[in-house]
Amino acid sequence: MSISHAEVERVARLARLRIDPGELDDRARDLARILELFDRLAAIDTRGVEPLSHPVAESQRLRPDTVTESVDRAALQQGAPEIEDGMYVVPRVIEPR
Amino acid sequence: MNAWQPVIGLEVHARLLTRSKLFSGAPAGYGAAPNTRACAIDLGFPGVLPVLNREAVRMAVRFGLAVGARIAPRCIFARKNYFYPDLPKGYQISQYEDPITAGGSITIEPAGGPRRDIGLVRAHLEEDAGRSVHEGFGRGTGIDLNRAGTPLLEIVTEPAIHGAAEAAACMRKIHTLVRWLGICDGNMQEGSFRCDANVSVRPAGSQTLGPRSEIKNVNSFRFVERAIGYEIERQIDLIESGGEVVQETRLYDPDRHETRPMRDKEDADDYRYFPDPDLLPVAVGEAFVAEVRDGLPELPDARRDRLAGQYGLGAADAAQLVSYREVADYFEAAAEAAGSAGSEDAADAARLTANWVNGELAGALNREGLRIDEARVTAGQLGRLVRRIADGTVSGRMAKAVFDAMWGSGEEPDAIIEARGLRQVTDAGEIEGLVDAVLDAHPAQVDQYLGGAEKVLGFFVGQVMKRSGGKADPRQANRTLRERLARRRDEPPAGQTP
Amino acid sequence: MTAPAPDSVAGIAAGLARGDFSAEEVARRFLARIEALDSRFNSYITVTAERAIEEARRADDARRRGSAGFLAGVPVAHKDLFCTRGVRTTCGSRMLANHVAAYDATVVELLRRSGMVTLGKTNLDEFAMGSSTESSHFGPVCNPWDPERVAGGSSGGSAAAVAAGLAPVATATDTGGSIRQPAALCGLTGLKPTYGRVSRHGLVAFASSFDQGGLLARSAEDVALVLGEMAGFDERDSTSLDAPVDDYRARLEAPIAGLRIGLVEEQFEDGVEAGVREAVGAAVRVLEGLGATVRPIRLEYADVGIPTYYMLAPAECSSNLSRFDGVRYGFRAPGVSSVEELYVESRTQGFGVEVKRRILAGTYALSKGYYDAYYGKAQRLRRLIADDYRRAFEEVDVIAGPTTPTPAFRLGDRLDDPIAMYLADVFTVGVNLAGLCAVSVPAGFAGSLPVGLQLTGNHLEEARLLNVAHRFQQATDWHLARPPLAEPAGGTPAGRTQDGGTRGGGTQGAAGASEPGPTPAARGRR
C-alpha cells in the first residue's frame, strides 16, 4: 500500500498541520504502515457485528438541570495567549458563515 | 413559471430554555459580559468532560411527541469535527446517525392555500457555538464563548415545501409549537430561533431533486419568505437562460433583497462524524416518555379546533388565538369572565371576546411592544368589559374608551363606566325625548326622509348620539327614530299642514 | 512475608501512625532524593517542593488533632496528564509547557483529601502517546535499572520515580498499556483499573474510550491502599461506573486456592524473549503452588488487538487534540497573520512528531470515504475482541501472561520505527479494548532487567487481582529488589533510612507556572 503526497496533504489540512516537503515521504510511509497493519485484518468478516464504542457502561446518566459551575473569567483566562475586553482575540476572521 | 416546482426543506435551530448548558453546569441564557458564562467545560479546557442535561432531553422528547415523531429508545451523540475560533473543542457535539426523534409532521395553512401536512425528517440535540465579534479589535476578531454549549434542538423538515409562503408558514408553525411547548423563547433577534433553507427547483412533475442552495440564518418570517422567493426566481432564471444551479451556501441580504454566495466552512466537505467516546448512548425509557406525554399541553391544532367548536368562533379567529399559548389562555379566561356557558348570548359574548383579543388587545400590545403576559388589562377585566357590551351597559364605541382607560389605569371596567358616567342610555323614555328633540330641530331633514331619502336616518342617529354625549344606545336610537318618523308620516304634528 | 518496606506506602503510613517520623520529615527525605538523583532519570517535570512541605505540615497537624486519615502524610507523585490547580500541567508537550490548570482532576482532589502529599508531576510521553517516554518535550526518562534503557511509557516518569525511590507511589494512566508496560520494565506493581472505575475528570484525554487512571507502586498492598481512595463514581465523568468500591485492602489476604488461571498459549511462544518466558512461567508455577489451577484458553482475536487499537485510539486522539488551537490557552505560534496560520503553526510547532503521526492516522481513519473501512471496521473488531474475553472469563478468573514480550529496550532503538514501538503493547492493548482491569507484577529478571507478570481480570475485579498479586508477593521478593543506580553517591540505601529532611525542600522551585523545567543535562540526554 502506498499513500500519495496529496493524500497526506489532504489529511494534514483537515488536521491543521503543516507537513514540510522534506517530511512528506516519512509521513506517507508512517501512514501506509499503520494502514497496512490494519489491512491484514481485511479477511475477518465483521458483517453483522455491532460496532463497540464504549467498553463497559451501557447508557448515559443524565444530569439535573441546575447551575453548578461558577465562572471565574480571570482565572480561566490567565494563560490565554491574547485577551481584550474579556474576549479571546485571534487574527481577523473572514466570516464564512 | 408553471413549468417549475420549487422544493424547499428547512432546518430550524431552536435554543432550548434550560437553566444550565447542554453538557455543563454553567448558566445558559442571553446577555452577559463576554466569557462570563463559559466554564472550563464550555471552553474545552484540557481534561474536562461533558455530562448531559436531563431537561434538554426532556424538551426534545416533548417536541417529538408533539409532532408525532418516533422517540428513539437509544440515541447517540456524535462529534462533528471542524476548526473555527468560536468552536472551542474543535468539534461540536451533535447527533448524526441516531437522533433523539425521527419523523413526525406539522400541519400548515398557508394564506389562501389548503391545509397541508409537512413531514419532519428528525429533530436532534446539539450544542451551540460561541460568537465572533469583528468590530473593535483592531485587525483582530474577538471571541465570546458565552453561547458555547447552549442546547439547541435542530428540527429538519422533509424537502416537501413548494413555495416561499409555505416555507414561511412552516417556520411560523414550528415557532408557535416550540413556544407553545415552553421549550424555546422564539426570540429571533437574539438568535434563539434561527432558520436555514435548502432551496432547489425542478421541472413540474419530476421526482428527482435539483442541485440546491442553502440559505443561511434567516432571522425573520418576512425575510425567509422574501429570501426563498428571490432564490426560486434566481434559480429559474438561471436555468431558463441556459445556466446551471450549483450546490452552494448563500446569504440573504435583506437591504438589497438578494441572496449571494458565501464562503463555506473549509471543513464542510468532511466533518468526520463519529460517536463521542465521552458520552454513552442515551436510553430514553418508556417511563420517561410516558411522563413527558402526560405533561404535554393541549396542542395548538387541537386547541384551535376546540375553540372553534366550543365557542363558535370562525376559523381565522380561532387560528389567530392559538398563535401563542398565552393568547389562547387569555382568551379562554376572558371568555369565561365575559359570561359563561350555553346560551345564545354566551356564544355572542365569546365571539365578541375573540374580536377584542385579536383586535383591540393585540393592537394595544403591538403599539407598546408587549407580550400578552405583560398586558395592562387582565383577561378577567377584558371579559367583564365584554359582559358590559353584551348586556348593553356600554356601546362598542364606548367600550373602546373604557378599554383605553383600563389600559392606562388598570382599573375595573365597571369602576371606569361609573366614574366617567359612560353608562349607555337605554331608558326608552329618555331616548324618545332625545329623538323628538332632534327631529323637532331638523324639520328640513325630516321632510327629506319622509320624501324617501332614507339615508338621512344616519344623520339623525349621529345627532342623537351627539345630543346624548355619546351615551345613547345606538341600536335603540335607530329603532326609536324609525318609529317616530313613521308616526310623523302617518300623523303630522299639530301646526303643520300637509 | 515480612513487614512492609519502610519507604513503601504501607511502611510510611505505619511509621506516621506510630509517630516514628513526621510527614514533613518524609516529604523532605523524598524531595532531597529527587534533588540528588533525578538528574539521572528525568522522572519529574515539575517538583512542587514548597507545596509538598506545606501539605505535609497540614498532615502532621491533622495527625496531632487526631483527624488524620490512614494515608495522611504519605507522598505521591502525579503523572503530568492529571490537572493540578495552580500547578502547570504540561502533558509532556510544548503545547502546554506553561499551562496552569484551573482546576484539580478528581483523582488529584481525592488523594489530596485523603491527606497525601504531592511531590510533583512526573514525565510522560507527549499526551501519553508512546511506549518509552522518549516523546516528551521535557526529554526522555531513563530506566533506573539501566540508564541506557527506556523506562517504558507512557507513564515512564511515574515508573522511574517509584523505582528509584523518588516517590512511594505515583498516579499513572493506561490507554494501551501505559501503566503496566513501564511497571514491567521498571520492576513495579502497576494496576490499570476497569474502564470507568477511576474518574477521567481532569485527566487530559488521549483516547477517551480507552484512557483509565491507575497506580504504580512497589507492591499490590500499596496499590490497594491508594486505589481505595481514588476509585469510585464521579458525576463529572459520564463514563464513570456507578458501582460500589470494594475494600481492596481487606481482600488482600484471602487465600487463592481454587483460583482458575487461564494461559494464552501464544504468549509463551517464540515472539516472546526467552528470559521473559522463563520468568513468567516460573511465576505461574508459584501461583499454582498457592493452590491456583491453570488451564489453556484461546483468545481468537488476540492478534487483532494492535492494529485495531492503533486505528481507534488515534482516531479519538485526532478529535480530542483539536482543542489545542492556540486560541484560549497553551502555545500560540508567534507572528501569524491569519486564523488559519494561527491554527496550523501553533499545532505544527506545539506538537511533537509522534503526536502528529497519530493525529494524521486518526484523521485519515475518520475521513470521508475511509470511515467504514477503517474506523467502522475497527469498532466491530473491538466488539469481537471484547466478546473473546467475555467468553474466556466464563471459564477462568484471571488470565496470566507476560506484560511485555521483551524487557526494557535501549533508548532511541525504536524511535524511528513506530510499528516496532507499537508492538511493545502487544499483550496490553486487549485489556483496554475490552475495558478490563489488569495488573503487572514484578516476576523476576531477564538478565539484569525486570520482567512483569500480567494478570488480567474481568470488569470490576480489581480486588481479586490485587489479592492474587499480594499473595504472589508474599511468596516472592521480586518486588523488593532495588535498582543499584537509585542510590546517591555514598548515600544510604533506599528504604533503610528514616533520617529525611537534611537536604531541605524548596530548592527545586516554587509551585506554579514559573517552575523551571528539567535540568539542561536531563533534557539533552538521549
Side-chain angles (χ1 to χ4, degrees):
Chain A
M1 170 163 215
S2 78
I3 298 284
S4 69
H5 287 184
E7 264 309 62
V8 175
E9 282 168 337
R10 174 184 72 86
V11 176
R13 183 66 214 138
L14 279 173
R16 298 298 188 277
L17 293 172
R18 170 170 50 76
I19 311 287
D20 289 335
E23 288 178 282
L24 273 168
D25 279 337
D26 283 355
R27 295 291 87 79
R29 191 200 57 216
D30 291 346
L31 196 49
R33 289 190 66 190
I34 292 172
L35 298 176
E36 273 165 23
L37 201 63
F38 193 79
D39 286 340
R40 281 184 225 153
L41 310 180
I44 301 173
D45 187 358
T46 54
R47 280 173 302 178
V49 179
E50 176 79 3
L52 179 66
S53 292
H54 301 92
V56 186
E58 305 258 296
S59 71
Q60 179 71 39
R61 209 164 15 82
L62 302 177
R63 176 177 66 78
D65 181 26
T66 49
V67 175
T68 53
E69 298 282 329
S70 58
V71 176
D72 180 348
R73 186 174 74 180
L76 291 169
Q77 294 188 338
Q78 199 182 24
E82 192 180 346
I83 294 290
E84 198 179 317
D85 296 339
M87 300 223 197
Y88 299 94
V89 179
V90 297
R92 174 67 67 111
V93 176
I94 299 131
E95 188 81 329
R97 47 181 181 176
Chain B
M1 281 295 280
N2 280 342
W4 299 100
Q5 182 188 42
V7 181
I8 301 152
L10 299 181
E11 290 173 14
V12 172
H13 288 88
R15 189 181 302 161
L16 298 177
L17 281 173
T18 54
R19 281 188 286 272
S20 62
K21 292 191 175 171
L22 186 54
F23 296 111
S24 87
Y30 187 83
N35 295 306
T36 55
R37 288 175 164 241
C39 69
I41 298 167
D42 307 319
L43 296 173
F45 263 52
V48 300
L49 295 169
V51 184
L52 181 58
N53 187 333
R54 169 191 295 272
E55 187 62 13
V57 173
R58 202 187 63 80
M59 287 178 172
V61 170
R62 196 167 159 87
F63 178 82
L65 291 174
V67 296
R70 293 183 301 282
I71 308 299
R74 190 169 164 280
C75 68
I76 307 281
F77 281 93
R79 292 183 182 178
K80 177 181 182 179
N81 293 282
Y82 66 93
F83 284 91
Y84 201 77
D86 66 18
L87 186 71
K89 298 184 292 296
Y91 57 84
Q92 177 194 29
I93 306 177
S94 180
Q95 299 195 289
Y96 186 53
E97 284 187 336
D98 299 280
I100 187 160
T101 87
S105 65
I106 53 167
T107 306
I108 56 167
E109 288 171 86
R115 194 177 283 188
R116 224 157 77 67
D117 284 348
I118 303 292
L120 300 183
V121 178
R122 61 193 276 163
H124 71 248
L125 285 165
E126 63 183 27
E127 55 179 356
D128 206 348
R131 188 170 67 93
S132 301
V133 179
H134 302 296
E135 313 307 323
F137 292 90
R139 286 169 49 240
T141 291
I143 308 293
D144 173 13
L145 296 169
N146 279 350
R147 213 176 63 181
T150 307
L152 298 178
L153 188 68
E154 178 173 330
I155 301 155
V156 183
T157 75
E158 299 276 4
I161 302 164
H162 296 306
E166 260 190 20
C170 209
M171 186 173 164
R172 263 181 227 279
K173 189 57 179 274
I174 294 172
H175 187 256
T176 294
L177 194 58
V178 294
R179 289 193 36 138
W180 191 276
L181 295 169
I183 63 175
C184 175
D185 67 15
N187 190 319
M188 289 192 247
Q189 276 69 49
E190 292 176 1
S192 298
F193 189 87
R194 323 196 278 265
C195 183
D196 302 338
N198 292 310
V199 180
S200 64
V201 297
R202 65 183 172 195
S206 163
Q207 290 305 307
T208 55
L209 289 174
R212 64 187 165 82
S213 52
E214 182 176 3
I215 309 173
K216 281 288 196 188
N217 274 339
V218 195
N219 66 356
S220 84
F221 298 120
R222 194 156 55 91
F223 289 166
V224 86
E225 187 162 350
R226 294 182 61 184
I228 292 171
Y230 172 88
E231 183 59 21
I232 291 168
E233 280 191 37
R234 187 189 70 85
Q235 292 190 10
I236 291 171
D237 287 351
L238 189 61
I239 298 169
E240 287 186 342
S241 61
E244 243 177 69
V245 177
V246 291
Q247 188 140 331
E248 65 183 350
T249 307
R250 298 180 72 88
L251 188 69
Y252 178 66
D253 179 345
D255 296 331
R256 302 163 74 167
H257 180 47
E258 63 177 26
T259 66
R260 53 173 182 267
M262 61 189 277
R263 208 159 64 84
D264 215 335
K265 284 191 292 246
E266 183 181 325
D267 300 326
D269 186 41
D270 193 351
Y271 285 128
R272 288 156 287 138
Y273 282 101
F274 76 109
D276 191 327
D278 285 329
L279 291 160
L280 301 163
V282 179
V284 178
E286 281 175 30
F288 188 89
V289 174
E291 191 191 310
V292 177
R293 184 178 281 121
D294 287 349
L296 273 186
E298 185 184 21
L299 296 173
D301 290 353
R303 190 152 186 191
R304 176 199 59 210
D305 295 346
R306 178 174 64 77
L307 293 185
Q310 180 177 336
Y311 297 99
L313 305 181
D317 271 347
Q320 197 179 336
L321 287 173
V322 299
S323 57
Y324 295 113
R325 188 166 147 197
E326 296 81 355
V327 174
D329 289 347
Y330 187 104
F331 162 74
E332 293 210 76
E336 191 183 346
S340 47
S343 68
E344 192 66 19
D345 288 352
D348 285 346
R351 276 193 293 272
L352 199 51
T353 307
N355 287 340
W356 273 81
V357 171
N358 288 338
E360 283 301 304
L361 179 76
L365 291 170
N366 240 344
R367 270 194 301 281
E368 299 194 21
L370 298 178
R371 296 190 312 267
I372 195 155
D373 55 315
E374 298 167 321
R376 302 191 202 286
V377 170
T378 67
Q381 288 174 330
L382 184 69
R384 289 188 283 280
L385 176 61
V386 170
R387 186 192 285 251
R388 291 292 166 257
I389 303 168
D391 69 12
T393 306
V394 291
S395 66
R397 179 193 293 222
M398 290 157 75
K400 288 188 167 73
V402 176
F403 179 86
D404 286 344
M406 290 162 71
W407 190 266
S409 69
E411 284 178 278
E412 280 295 317
D414 283 352
I416 290 167
I417 291 166
E418 218 45 61
R420 303 198 178 184
L422 288 174
R423 187 171 288 276
Q424 188 166 237
V425 176
T426 52
D427 177 79
E430 208 172 322
I431 290 196
E432 278 166 18
L434 286 164
V435 164
D436 287 344
V438 164
L439 295 182
D440 290 346
H442 299 91
Q445 283 82 357
V446 172
D447 286 345
Q448 283 171 21
Y449 179 86
L450 295 178
E454 295 218 346
K455 64 173 192 282
V456 181
L457 191 66
F459 167 76
F460 291 132
V461 174
Q463 289 301 308
V464 172
M465 295 307 289
K466 190 174 172 186
R467 200 170 273 257
S468 72
K471 294 179 200 169
D473 177 351
R475 277 174 304 175
Q476 212 174 331
N478 195 301
R479 202 164 53 240
T480 309
L481 274 166
R482 286 179 189 281
E483 284 166 16
R484 291 307 221 201
L485 285 165
R487 197 177 297 171
R488 286 186 188 220
R489 178 186 291 132
D490 299 341
E491 26 180 302
Q496 285 200 355
T497 45
Chain C
M1 220 165 96
T2 51
D7 66 345
S8 66
V9 171
I12 294 168
L16 287 167
R18 283 193 304 266
D20 292 351
F21 37 74
S22 69
E24 184 175 344
E25 284 168 341
V26 174
R28 287 190 187 280
R29 173 157 57 87
F30 277 99
L31 291 168
R33 283 185 62 84
I34 294 167
E35 197 192 345
L37 294 170
D38 199 37
S39 59
R40 299 180 191 175
F41 312 116
N42 197 24
S43 65
Y44 282 87
I45 290 175
T46 303
V47 179
T48 54
E50 286 180 4
R51 184 179 287 230
I53 300 296
E54 212 174 283
E55 288 175 358
R57 285 176 180 159
R58 266 205 297 278
D60 286 332
D61 286 346
R63 200 167 290 280
R64 273 192 291 277
R65 288 195 310 271
S67 60
F70 180 77
L71 292 174
V74 176
V76 62
H78 290 298
K79 183 177 184 178
D80 205 13
L81 199 61
F82 287 103
C83 289
T84 42
R85 179 165 47 195
V87 176
R88 69 175 177 163
T89 299
T90 71
C91 302
S93 179
R94 182 183 189 197
M95 184 62 86
L96 295 177
N98 296 306
H99 176 68
V100 178
Y103 67 101
D104 276 329
T106 297
V107 163
V108 171
E109 190 187 322
L110 289 174
L111 295 188
R112 176 168 296 149
R113 213 182 286 161
S114 76
M116 293 190 88
V117 171
T118 306
L119 295 171
K121 308 290 293 288
T122 60
N123 206 347
L124 68 161
D125 277 301
E126 185 179 6
F127 286 104
M129 295 175 206
S131 308
S132 65
T133 318
E134 292 173 286
S135 71
S136 171
H137 174 63
F138 299 90
V141 173
C142 302
N143 192 319
W145 291 91
D146 179 350
E148 301 292 308
R149 292 177 186 268
V150 302
S154 64
S155 310
S158 289
V162 176
L166 310 184
V169 60
T171 59
T173 66
D174 192 317
T175 305
S178 285
I179 292 175
R180 293 157 287 156
Q181 187 253 13
L185 270 44
C186 291
L188 299 174
T189 304
L191 177 80
K192 182 260 169 206
T194 305
Y195 182 81
R197 178 71 297 182
V198 169
S199 170
R200 292 189 299 116
H201 170 74
L203 163 59
V204 179
F206 156 18
S208 311
S209 74
F210 297 85
D211 297 341
Q212 180 60 199
L215 291 163
L216 282 158
R218 295 203 179 283
S219 66
E221 182 183 20
D222 283 1
V223 170
L225 293 176
V226 181
L227 183 66
E229 298 296 324
M230 74 184 229
F233 172 69
D234 182 3
E235 60 185 20
R236 287 173 295 187
D237 174 1
S238 296
T239 57
S240 168
L241 293 175
D242 195 359
V245 176
D246 290 326
D247 188 342
Y248 304 115
R249 191 180 174 188
R251 283 187 55 186
L252 283 175
E253 305 289 343
I256 61 166
L259 180 81
R260 300 170 300 167
I261 296 178
L263 301 182
V264 180
E265 206 176 319
E266 292 80 359
Q267 296 187 356
F268 294 86
E269 286 175 351
D270 290 349
V272 179
E273 211 172 283
V276 173
R277 275 198 320 247
E278 284 155 21
V280 172
V284 171
R285 283 190 294 281
V286 169
L287 292 171
E288 282 184 288
L290 294 169
T293 60
V294 170
R295 69 182 73 175
I297 56 160
R298 243 182 88 65
L299 290 177
E300 196 183 340
Y301 295 102
D303 288 351
V304 174
I306 287 283
T308 300
Y309 173 80
Y310 279 98
M311 194 55 62
L312 293 176
E316 293 186 14
C317 130
S318 72
S319 176
N320 282 335
L321 270 60
S322 291
R323 69 189 60 202
F324 302 108
D325 57 7
V327 175
R328 299 166 311 287
Y329 48 75
F331 177 75
R332 175 185 285 200
V336 295
S337 58
S338 70
V339 169
E340 282 303 315
E341 210 186 334
L342 168 69
Y343 288 152
V344 170
E345 289 308 314
S346 299
R347 291 167 61 76
T348 302
Q349 297 172 34
F351 292 139
V353 64
E354 180 60 25
V355 167
K356 285 187 274 196
R357 195 179 270 145
R358 297 199 193 190
I359 290 175
L360 288 176
T363 303
Y364 186 91
L366 292 174
S367 71
K368 201 160 83 178
Y370 298 99
Y371 182 95
D372 290 337
Y374 290 108
Y375 188 79
K377 171 126 189 171
Q379 277 198 315
R380 292 181 163 84
L381 291 166
R382 186 178 190 181
R383 166 89 53 194
L384 295 177
I385 292 165
D387 287 349
D388 239 4
Y389 278 105
R390 191 175 42 72
R391 280 189 297 272
F393 283 118
E394 286 165 10
E395 293 171 35
V396 300
D397 303 312
V398 164
I399 299 169
T403 307
T404 57
T406 69
F409 46 91
R410 290 187 178 280
L411 283 158
D413 255 14
R414 300 190 186 178
L415 271 183
D416 296 324
D417 186 351
I419 303 295
M421 184 73 86
Y422 298 168
L423 288 172
D425 303 333
V426 64
F427 299 144
T428 50
V429 293
V431 164
N432 303 81
L433 284 159
L436 303 165
C437 55
V439 65
S440 180
V441 183
F445 290 84
S448 61
L449 298 171
V451 169
L453 162 73
Q454 177 173 241
L455 300 169
T456 300
N458 208 344
H459 295 144
L460 295 175
E461 288 270 82
E462 288 81 4
R464 187 198 295 271
L465 289 185
L466 292 170
N467 167 224
V468 177
H470 179 68
R471 298 299 299 210
F472 177 78
Q473 290 176 341
Q474 287 181 312
T476 59
D477 57 5
W478 303 118
H479 63 293
L480 298 176
R482 296 289 188 274
L485 249 175
E487 303 311 327
T492 46
R496 308 208 177 104
T497 175
Q498 290 168 8
D499 61 75
T502 53
R503 303 286 302 258
T507 49
Q508 292 252 340
S514 60
E515 298 214 12
T519 60
R523 186 179 285 145
R525 191 182 50 234
R526 260 293 145 92

